[in-house]
Amino acid sequence: MSNEAQKVALPAFLKKRLHAFRIGQGAEQSYLIKDPQEDQVHQLETWQFFLLEVLPGCEDMPKLKGVFEDRFGHAITDEQIEELFTLIADKSLFGITALSNPILKAFQKKRAAEGKGRAAPGAKAEAAAAVEEKATVKEPLPPGIEDVIGLDTSIKQAGLKLFNPKRLIKLTSPIVKPISYLMYAIPLMLIAALFLLGRYFTVMEEDITLLLSGVSIIEHALFSMLTVNLSVTFLIMYVAHSFRASVNGLGIVFYLGFFPRFCPFIGNLDQLSRRERMWLHAAPLIFRLGLFSTAILMWFNTRDMGGVIAPFSLVVAVASALSFLITVNPLVKSSGYHLVATILDEPQLRKKAYGALMNKLKGDTYKEANGRLLAAYALASTVFMIVLFGLILLLLGKFLKIHLGGAGVILTFFVAAIFAYRMFVSFARINQSYDRASQFKKWRDRTLVSKETESQGSEAAPKKGSYVRRALLIMLLGCLFLPYAYEPGGSFVLLPNQQQEITSDLSGLVDWVKYDGGEELKKGEAIAALWQGDYSAKVKVYEALMKEQQAVIDELKSRPRKEDVLLAERALETEETRTQFSLSKLSRLEKLYKSRTVSYEELDDARREYRIDLAQVAESKADLEVTKLGATPDQIAAAQAKLEGYEEEHKYYNEKVKLSTLHMPFDGRLVSMHLRQKVGSYLAPGEPFAIAENTSKVLAEIEIPEADIPYVKKGASVRVRPQAYHSADFIGTVLSIDSNVTEERYGRVVKVITILENSDQRLKTGMTGYAKIESETLPVWEVLSMAIIRFVEVEVWSWLP
């Protein structure tokens, strides 16, 4: 619209979607009727617009003529009024309420009668028939029906019609209708399913990985088509049937020219209200959520039973979730988009969005309205479709490569070429349509410059625009060869430079705790101790035994002593004297026995006593010799060995006493908190009592993508930016590079260890963020094309037979 246009009230009998504007002033004043749906504008003179305004208050032609004469001061003929009505009818501007006016009703009957004509009509009858044909042109379909595959019969989509399930839908509708009330339980089921998904995500991920690891994209698409897509198709037919629409068939259409999906063919949809059209597109989205929730609940409740129900439910949940995420996205021409178009009451949303995008790209000065939002929508929709098709193409290429080898790769490139050609043709058609519409709008709104201005500017403007474009292109090409300091990077987690669990090999009750946790301590400081009563008693016992045994050793080493030798000699003399007396006694008794004065028993006792005394003399002599020799080396060694045994036992129990006291292993901090609350608790052998860390320096474990490892060197400078200190960089150096590649969920990485100074203790263990490692300087074009070059040199090279 021109800047001078002013919006005015629309005449009552025109279509409600139209907008009216007044342009010009005085004798030059006229009116524009804009049709946003058809993107057309019709111009009316002042007297024509006035007649349409006063028509609701006039019931017959005389009154209408009188009102006109009062306003303009001259009369108007019936022919002029009929010409106006014919003009409005030809342009299909009259609304449904127009037939409630007697004048317009009579006019419509007259047109219908003239339109039937005779077998050989004259020129006037032929003209009337042509006017009637234009007046009866089919009106555009409402939003939510227009441009919907299967609902808009004007769309020619590649596909195949299978059969007409109209009778089946009609017979089963009374059974299916009560089930629709389960829709109100879907929010509760969805909340329960999301709760299970969050709580058992790891278990579900393992099951999904196991189920889908050997399933290709084609198999998954077929399964989704025969389950989710087929059930949603029948749901749409049931909803349409409940809204008095006619089910005409069930078929298969090919999206993007090759992707098969079931599609319902439904007619008689132009009589649906806006609310019914909204339900027609919202029901499939709600159904997918219900199917997802039901499948998750079935998986959870049947997983432990075995069988096929649990895996089947899980695959259905995945298929319905993916289907919902794609169809609910308004960037895709599916249920979500058509629902938004119906809510906004805008059937040509994408057409206007692409028009706004072309206007932004071409930099035209004409603006019908603020098209930034529409242009952003068109750009996002285009990018999303390209990314989606690229993902599908990548998965398809992997599948065909596995099964067909090099031929599969060639087939994939052929499919990509077809898609690129279709996209190019679509954009060319959009550009051509935009150019025609732009020229028409400029002419219509009188924004075309005069011929002289155009001839003057047509020479300068293209040259200026050409120079700017060339300069920008040269600058862009030059920027591609600028040096760029490439820095491979990745996410990291902070680890302490030193960390140790403080524990003991002993078991027992915690006797005392000196620190509560969080303190900075020096190496060797006592932290806590276990009860050591038994070990202390053992230490004292073995100390006494050691003293006793040492005395024995000292006594052995002091031999022979004079006193001992003298004592042994006296003992020998005593035994010899006793022997002499026993010998004398024996001699007397032998004489008496011969004289039969004593008995033989008394003689025998004397002999026995004598022999014993002789033995005692021999023993005393030997004892004297031993005493004179002193202690032997073997005796001293045996006593010494016994002492060493006591010392080992003493040392063992003394070590137990020391181990019962827990010490700080290095200079650092006690990480564990509330340690004093452990007094009186039982500590098992090897159980950690506390954790000590030294964080004067910290280690950053950086996960670098496998492809970037060639650019990482030992000793390289590293910039670390934690999440907690997002505006500060911490500088470190590469300490080591892992020799193994780690498989993560998001790809293959190599862990690089970096050491950072942390004297101010700002960096805490477990912090995360992003780190960049200093590397070589590369041209900008090489950095930007690195992924493409790697793909060509590795992936494409592997495809070659």
Side-chain angles (χ1 to χ4, degrees), residues 187-208 292-304 313-314 317:
L188 297 178
M189 295 171 59
L190 181 61
I191 293 174
L194 293 177
F195 173 77
L196 294 175
L197 181 63
R199 187 170 184 178
Y200 300 99
F201 179 77
T202 304
V203 178
M204 189 176 300
E205 184 182 24
E206 293 175 356
D207 288 357
I208 292 174
F292 166 77
S293 306
T294 304
I296 291 294
L297 295 175
M298 288 183 62
W299 166 81
F300 179 74
N301 289 284
T302 60
R303 185 175 184 270
D304 297 332
S313 301
L314 192 57

Side-chain angles (χ1 to χ4, degrees), residues 418-442:
I418 293 177
F419 172 75
Y421 173 75
R422 287 168 60 94
M423 180 174 293
F424 175 78
V425 171
S426 298
F427 276 106
R429 190 183 302 116
I430 291 173
N431 184 39
Q432 186 178 8
S433 176
Y434 171 80
D435 289 339
R436 289 198 303 266
S438 178
Q439 292 296 328
F440 173 74
K441 289 176 182 178
K442 290 180 180 180

Side-chain angles (χ1 to χ4, degrees), residues 2 26 132 168 194 196-197 296 308 325 380 475 504 689 762 785:
S2 64
E132 177 63 19
L168 175 64
L194 293 177
L196 294 175
L197 181 63
I296 291 294
V308 298
L325 293 176
M475 291 175 61
S504 175
F689 175 77
R762 286 200 295 168
S785 60

Side-chain angles (χ1 to χ4, degrees), residues 24-50:
Q25 293 180 355
E28 299 294 331
Q29 181 174 287
S30 62
Y31 292 85
L32 299 178
I33 305 298
K34 178 184 175 184
D35 187 348
Q37 181 169 310
E38 293 296 325
D39 200 16
Q40 295 179 356
V41 174
H42 312 281
Q43 188 168 1
L44 299 178
E45 298 296 332
T46 304
W47 67 271
Q48 294 174 326
F49 191 81
F50 175 76

Side-chain angles (χ1 to χ4, degrees), residues 411-584:
L411 182 60
T412 304
F413 277 110
F414 179 72
V415 174
I418 293 177
F419 172 75
Y421 173 75
R422 287 168 60 94
M423 180 174 293
F424 175 78
V425 171
S426 298
F427 276 106
R429 190 183 302 116
I430 291 173
N431 184 39
Q432 186 178 8
S433 176
Y434 171 80
D435 289 339
R436 289 198 303 266
S438 178
Q439 292 296 328
F440 173 74
K441 289 176 182 178
K442 290 180 180 180
W443 170 83
R444 178 196 66 196
D445 294 336
R446 302 175 181 178
T447 56
L448 287 173
V449 296
S450 64
K451 291 184 179 180
E452 294 155 3
T453 308
E454 186 176 0
S455 61
Q456 293 174 1
S458 60
E459 298 179 359
K463 292 182 179 179
K464 182 178 179 181
S466 176
Y467 289 148
V468 171
R469 285 193 293 269
R470 291 177 183 175
L472 290 176
L473 180 59
I474 293 173
M475 291 175 61
L476 180 61
L477 292 175
C479 290
L480 293 177
F481 293 92
L482 292 176
Y484 178 81
Y486 182 62
E487 294 178 309
S491 58
F492 70 86
V493 61
L494 291 182
L495 305 173
N497 186 30
Q498 287 180 292
Q499 186 184 65
Q500 182 175 329
E501 292 181 346
I502 300 175
T503 183
S504 175
D505 293 336
L506 309 179
S507 62
L509 300 177
V510 179
D511 189 19
W512 55 266
V513 179
K514 188 175 181 181
Y515 301 100
D516 196 41
E519 296 88 354
E520 290 282 347
L521 303 178
K522 295 294 184 180
K523 180 179 179 180
E525 288 193 38
I527 301 171
L530 305 177
W531 186 76
Q532 48 187 265
D534 292 343
Y535 301 128
S536 299
K538 290 286 187 181
V539 169
K540 291 179 181 179
V541 168
Y542 280 103
E543 284 179 354
L545 291 174
M546 287 166 55
K547 290 179 181 179
E548 180 184 1
Q549 189 64 23
Q550 185 63 47
V552 172
I553 294 174
D554 293 340
E555 191 271 333
L556 290 175
K557 289 182 177 180
S558 65
R559 295 179 185 180
R561 293 179 297 177
K562 294 181 180 181
E563 293 80 2
D564 294 335
V565 174
L566 182 61
L567 182 61
E569 290 176 350
R570 295 292 181 268
L572 178 60
E573 292 175 357
T574 300
E575 293 299 329
E576 289 177 344
T577 302
R578 182 180 292 112
T579 302
Q580 292 176 359
F581 281 108
S582 62
L583 180 60
S584 299

Side-chain angles (χ1 to χ4, degrees), residues 278-338:
M278 290 170 59
W279 271 111
L280 189 63
H281 295 293
L285 300 177
I286 298 174
F287 177 78
R288 287 182 175 93
L289 289 178
L291 192 62
F292 166 77
S293 306
T294 304
I296 291 294
L297 295 175
M298 288 183 62
W299 166 81
F300 179 74
N301 289 284
T302 60
R303 185 175 184 270
D304 297 332
M305 301 179 183
V308 298
I309 297 178
F312 177 80
S313 301
L314 192 57
V315 177
V316 170
V318 173
S320 56
L322 292 176
S323 177
F324 173 78
L325 293 176
I326 293 176
T327 56
V328 78
N329 191 346
L331 301 179
V332 181
K333 206 170 184 180
S334 188
S335 299
Y337 165 77
H338 297 304

Side-chain angles (χ1 to χ4, degrees), residues 393-411:
L393 195 66
L394 179 62
L395 297 176
L396 179 65
K398 289 185 177 180
F399 173 79
L400 294 178
K401 176 189 173 184
I402 294 174
H403 293 83
L404 300 178
V409 177
I410 297 174
L411 182 60

Side-chain angles (χ1 to χ4, degrees), residues 117-126:
R118 297 183 296 272
K124 183 177 180 180
E126 292 178 357

